[in-house]
Amino acid sequence: MALVKQETVQGFQGLPALRQIGLMIGLAASVALGVAVVLWSQEPNYTVLYAGLSNKDAAEVVEALKKTGIAYEIDQNTGAVMVAANRVRDARMELAKDGLPGGGSMGFEILQKDQGFGTSQFIETARYQHALEGELSRTIATLRNVESARVHLAIPKRSVFLRDRADPTASVMVDLYSGRSLDEEQITAIVHLVSSSVPHLDPKKVTIVDQRGNLLSNGSDSDGLAPSSSQFAYNRKLEAIYTDRIRNLLEPIVGAGKVRTNVNADLDFTVTERTSETYDPDSPALRSEQVSEDISGDASGGAASGIPGALSNQPPGPATLQDPGAPDAAGGKGAATGNSSKRSVRNYELDKTISHTRLASGNIRRLSIAVVIDNKQELDENEELVSKPWEQAELDRFTNLIKESVGFDEKRGDSVNVINVSFIPPEEPEEVPEASLLEQPWIWDVVKQAVGALGLLIVVFGVLKPVMRSLAEKGAEAAAMQQAALATAGAEGGAGAPEGGQDQLSLSGANPQQPQLAAPQMGYEQHLETAKGVVSEDPKRVAQVVKNWVSEDG
């Protein structure tokens, strides 16, 4: 090994200076490349954790990753936060536990910022409205199916004149998770949530749109449309209830999965209001009574009466003596004469009943039920399962059971149809293929390790080893030529020059006994040819050797 190193050093020293520098640079680059490949193979495979985060959210995510000890990187081009591929789920669970990322919208904390001197009332109102929109967005984003939300409020300035007043409106943009949707109850909840948070905001003025542009709840007065959706949902729900009743009733008898039921319910959603007013003439009651009586006349008979004038103001006639018991000339007794009248007004109150009736909607007009039953399985004579149809009596029993379970009404026009057919056996589901080897998360780490090892082997055995071997060969050739030159010089100088031979050996840096062991017995002509070859290939080295001889002999 020491000989190889010495020959390599001699070969390297025998190269020109420019080639030495280039060789050193190449070796350094090869070593650096090998180290880089090894380090690259040891690094984990990073993937995107969250992209498109605001600076505030990204800072919070990075701080949380530092606390949990999860290695991360930040993409310098997109600013996305990346973690190791095998730690993505763990990182997201840890961040979700802390409520991160929280989203870029700001709530009422925007009001805590420095407002600055001379801020106008318009700016303050706009900031408050923006803060309110941010708070509503955060609240809506907490729903299970909503990933993020944005709220836009249009709040007009209040006017003291009623005719100039305008109602506020709101628009909500929801970004739903992939494969999820909002039902009617959730949409209604969002509408009332927004309308209750803004003064004087009518729920009909709230519009909700999803990320695909679907209008979930328009803001117009949709009394004709909204009930239809609820009616449709009620109709489907009622049909599902009847279907479940029939299936739960028949499956224990015919077997699970051997009953198919379809129920069509015709419902009446007509809203009827009725007002009636009835009287009971048999039970009148006296409410009020008014009696008036007028009496006019004179008891002495001498008083003036009648219409004022000449006839009524005539003086009375002469007085006559009359018997008190005798009747007067008119046939009456001596009673006073006059007029009398009597009037009475009576008000009776009859028994009255006023009723306002609103008939319930959603009544069942007609039920149409269709049921299909699979053949029954029985054992034959060979104790094997065979498919046999149901008898008509058994089908009639099933029909009666279905009628009782759904409240069959013949007067209403309900119908039930039960048939028996043999079901086609379902095809066996194909087995889900296992994930290929390339889809495994750990395979890329192994590939990186293998590529790193291969690169290191290529650098060592493809670059370093050939270079070292070439240098060693060149060093061996140079040493052989030097030994040949020394042997030729010794032959010309005579055999009795041990001191010169010792000097030659010391110049080569070898053992004094090495020339006799290493140098073979060659003739004069051969030594001469070898010396000429050395002089032609490396004249500088030969000149240096000769110079050393001259200086030592001198």
Side-chain angles (χ1 to χ4, degrees):
M1 188 68 179
L3 181 60
V4 174
K5 291 183 179 179
Q6 183 178 358
E7 293 175 351
T8 303
V9 173
Q10 290 179 357
F12 179 76
Q13 292 177 354
L15 296 176
L18 186 60
R19 293 188 62 184
Q20 291 182 2
I21 296 174
L23 182 60
M24 292 176 63
I25 294 175
L27 291 176
S30 301
V31 174
L33 179 62
V35 173
V37 169
V38 172
L39 294 178
W40 171 79
S41 63
Q42 297 297 327
E43 291 181 357
N45 186 21
Y46 285 93
T47 186
V48 176
L49 178 63
Y50 289 114
L53 297 177
S54 62
N55 295 332
K56 183 176 182 241
D57 291 340
E60 293 178 352
V61 169
V62 169
E63 187 65 24
L65 291 176
K66 288 181 180 179
K67 292 181 180 178
T68 55
I70 299 176
Y72 68 91
E73 281 188 358
I74 297 178
D75 191 350
Q76 300 299 327
N77 296 326
T78 62
V81 181
M82 300 185 298
V83 297
N86 57 350
R87 299 297 303 276
V88 173
R89 294 184 179 179
D90 296 339
R92 287 181 179 175
M93 292 177 64
E94 292 292 337
L95 294 176
K97 183 176 64 177
D98 298 334
L100 297 174
S105 61
M106 298 184 64
F108 284 112
E109 63 266 19
I110 194 175
L111 302 178
Q112 300 177 357
K113 295 184 177 180
D114 187 10
Q115 303 295 327
F117 181 74
T119 303
S120 63
Q121 185 178 2
F122 174 78
I123 298 299
E124 292 180 354
T125 304
R127 286 184 177 178
Y128 174 77
Q129 181 174 339
H130 181 65
L132 183 60
E133 292 175 351
E135 290 293 336
L136 290 174
S137 301
R138 288 181 177 179
T139 304
I140 297 174
T142 57
L143 296 178
R144 184 179 301 275
N145 296 336
V146 180
E147 183 176 4
S148 61
R150 293 193 66 183
V151 178
H152 303 280
L153 300 177
I155 304 177
K157 186 178 180 180
R158 302 293 295 177
S159 176
V160 295
F161 300 100
L162 294 177
R163 65 179 62 182
D164 296 336
R165 287 185 179 179
D167 295 331
T169 59
S171 301
V172 181
M173 176 72 180
V174 292
D175 187 5
L176 305 178
Y177 287 104
S178 178
R180 299 186 184 181
S181 60
L182 296 176
D183 54 19
E184 293 293 335
E185 295 181 356
Q186 292 175 328
I187 295 173
T188 305
I190 295 175
V191 169
H192 287 280
L193 173 67
V194 176
S195 62
S196 301
S197 302
V198 180
H200 309 286
L201 178 57
D202 192 353
K204 299 177 182 179
K205 301 293 183 180
V206 180
T207 304
I208 302 178
V209 183
D210 63 3
Q211 76 272 20
R212 291 181 291 272
N214 298 326
L215 182 62
L216 304 181
S217 174
N218 58 356
S220 61
D221 189 3
S222 57
D223 290 340
L225 180 61
S228 63
S229 61
S230 61
Q231 292 170 6
F232 180 79
Y234 176 73
N235 198 348
R236 298 284 81 80
K237 184 177 181 180
L238 184 62
E239 292 175 352
I241 291 175
Y242 284 147
T243 301
D244 293 339
R245 286 183 182 179
I246 297 172
R247 185 174 61 252
N248 296 334
L249 184 65
L250 296 181
E251 278 189 349
I253 302 174
V254 300
K258 295 186 176 183
V259 178
R260 296 294 183 268
T261 306
N262 190 4
V263 178
N264 183 15
D266 184 10
L267 303 182
D268 182 12
F269 291 100
T270 303
V271 179
T272 304
E273 294 184 359
R274 182 183 301 166
T275 303
S276 62
E277 184 175 354
T278 59
Y279 297 89
D280 187 5
D282 298 332
S283 59
L286 182 62
R287 181 178 182 182
S288 63
E289 182 179 5
Q290 183 178 1
V291 179
S292 61
E293 184 176 359
D294 296 334
I295 300 175
S296 62
D298 187 5
S300 61
S305 63
I307 301 174
L311 296 179
S312 61
N313 293 328
Q314 292 295 327
T320 59
L321 180 64
Q322 294 181 353
D323 188 2
D328 55 2
K333 296 182 179 180
T337 61
N339 298 323
S340 66
S341 64
K342 185 176 182 182
R343 297 189 302 272
S344 63
V345 178
R346 293 181 178 89
N347 295 324
Y348 292 93
E349 192 71 33
L350 298 179
D351 188 8
K352 181 177 66 173
T353 303
I354 299 175
S355 62
H356 180 80
T357 305
R358 181 173 181 177
L359 300 180
S361 61
N363 296 326
I364 300 177
R365 292 176 180 174
R366 186 171 180 270
L367 284 178
S368 300
I369 303 173
V371 180
V372 181
I373 300 177
D374 191 10
N375 290 341
K376 57 183 177 180
Q377 302 292 329
E378 292 184 353
L379 295 176
D380 59 0
E381 299 176 353
N382 298 327
E383 299 296 331
E384 295 181 357
L385 286 176
V386 293
S387 178
K388 292 184 179 180
W390 295 88
E391 298 179 358
Q392 186 61 38
E394 295 173 329
L395 295 178
D396 294 340
R397 291 172 54 193
F398 294 155
T399 303
N400 294 331
L401 288 176
I402 294 172
K403 290 181 179 180
E404 294 295 333
S405 64
V406 299
F408 181 83
D409 189 357
E410 187 176 359
K411 297 180 181 180
R412 198 169 53 190
D414 297 349
S415 62
V416 177
N417 188 9
V418 180
I419 63 174
N420 173 217
V421 294
S422 177
F423 287 2
I424 299 176
E427 298 180 357
E428 296 183 358
E430 297 181 358
E431 296 183 358
V432 179
E434 297 182 357
S436 61
L437 187 62
L438 295 178
E439 295 178 357
Q440 300 295 333
W442 53 267
I443 190 63
W444 296 109
D445 294 335
V446 175
V447 170
K448 290 179 67 175
Q449 297 284 345
V451 170
L454 181 61
L456 184 60
L457 293 176
I458 291 175
V459 170
V460 172
F461 293 98
V463 179
L464 296 180
K465 186 175 180 180
V467 170
M468 300 299 292
R469 181 183 297 171
S470 177
L471 292 177
E473 291 176 355
K474 290 183 178 180
E477 292 177 359
M481 288 187 293
Q482 184 178 2
Q483 293 293 337
L486 293 177
T488 303
E492 292 178 354
E499 294 181 359
Q502 185 177 1
D503 293 337
Q504 293 167 3
L505 295 177
S506 64
L507 288 175
S508 62
N511 197 334
Q513 304 296 332
Q514 185 176 355
Q516 289 79 7
L517 298 175
Q521 299 293 331
M522 295 186 296
Y524 174 77
E525 295 295 336
Q526 294 178 354
H527 288 297
L528 183 60
E529 293 296 332
T530 303
K532 289 180 180 180
V534 173
V535 172
S536 62
E537 291 183 1
D538 198 356
K540 294 182 179 181
R541 184 179 297 275
V542 175
Q544 184 66 28
V545 172
V546 174
K547 184 178 179 181
N548 292 336
W549 290 345
V550 172
S551 62
E552 291 178 358
D553 294 339

